[in-house]
Amino acid sequence: MTTRIEPQSYDKAPEAVKKTFDHLKSAVGMIPNLYATIAKSPSALEGYLAFSAALGRSSLSAQEKELINLVVSESNGCAYCLSAHTLLGGKAGLSNDQILSARRGLGGSPRAQAILDLARKITRTGGLGAGAELKRARSAELSEAEIIEVIAFVASKQFTNAVAIAAGVEIDFPRAPLLPEE
């Protein structure tokens, strides 16, 4: 893939973005190309990071958040986010089999399945016709707050998938494998 929007360079970044880059580098050990690309719009980067920080306080577990990130990124065909979230999913405690299953939309429990089903439906339709998925989520004991949080995580991942795909962001994580044929 050819990069269509170059990442913001540190040297040419506005001071506020440099501070964000410094924070990212100390927290993550690098400035991911996706964040550097979003930084072409300092307001978009600020808004995305604020939304991400708020979602970080979600009642969903780290594994559940990564399940959502994986199924949305697979549904959208975003190799960048699949690579990042394969790594992050492993760090959250998901096994390689759980990661591959999540990408296929398969959960290991009724709760995980309900989360994945809802996330896929929202990704594919924006929520249109999600009655069955909402019913399954409630049956799997997701609270209404958690249902809204699933939707919020989908929206966040839709944004980063769109930026990564449209901009042709170069993958700077270990590349996630293609799903094996079944």
Side-chain angles (χ1 to χ4, degrees):
M1 178 187 304
T2 302
T3 300
R4 293 182 286 272
I5 299 176
E6 290 294 324
Q8 175 66 58
S9 70
Y10 184 90
D11 295 340
K12 295 181 181 177
E15 283 305 313
V17 171
K18 284 182 181 180
K19 288 179 184 177
T20 301
F21 281 176
D22 290 341
H23 175 73
L24 284 168
K25 191 161 184 171
S26 71
V28 183
M30 64 186 267
I31 303 165
N33 285 334
L34 178 64
Y35 288 17
T37 302
I38 294 170
K40 287 290 188 152
S41 168
S43 61
L45 180 62
E46 180 183 349
Y48 170 71
L49 291 174
F51 190 45
S52 294
L55 289 177
R57 297 184 298 275
S58 160
S59 60
L60 297 173
S61 73
Q63 289 184 0
E64 290 169 338
K65 294 170 189 177
E66 290 306 324
L67 293 175
I68 297 164
N69 291 327
L70 288 160
V71 75
V72 174
S73 297
E74 183 69 40
S75 295
N76 287 327
C78 182
Y80 185 96
C81 292
L82 278 172
S83 297
H85 290 288
T86 294
L87 177 70
L88 294 171
K91 288 184 178 198
L94 295 174
S95 70
N96 287 336
D97 286 342
Q98 288 173 308
I99 289 168
L100 292 173
S101 291
R103 289 174 58 187
R104 289 186 179 99
L106 302 172
S109 69
R111 181 179 170 91
Q113 190 62 56
I115 288 169
L116 289 167
D117 289 346
L118 180 59
R120 265 170 83 165
K121 185 66 163 195
I122 300 299
T123 301
R124 291 180 175 160
T125 70
L128 185 64
E133 290 78 11
L134 289 170
K135 184 176 179 181
R136 279 195 297 278
R138 287 184 177 108
S139 293
E141 299 186 4
L142 270 82
S143 69
E144 289 188 344
E146 289 170 324
I147 290 169
I148 295 297
E149 289 169 359
V150 169
I151 296 167
F153 274 101
V154 170
S156 174
K157 194 48 46 199
Q158 291 278 53
F159 171 69
T160 57
N161 286 178
V163 170
I165 293 167
V169 176
E170 183 180 338
I171 299 171
D172 49 0
F173 293 94
R175 187 174 285 275
L178 295 175
L179 282 178
E181 300 270 333
E182 293 193 311

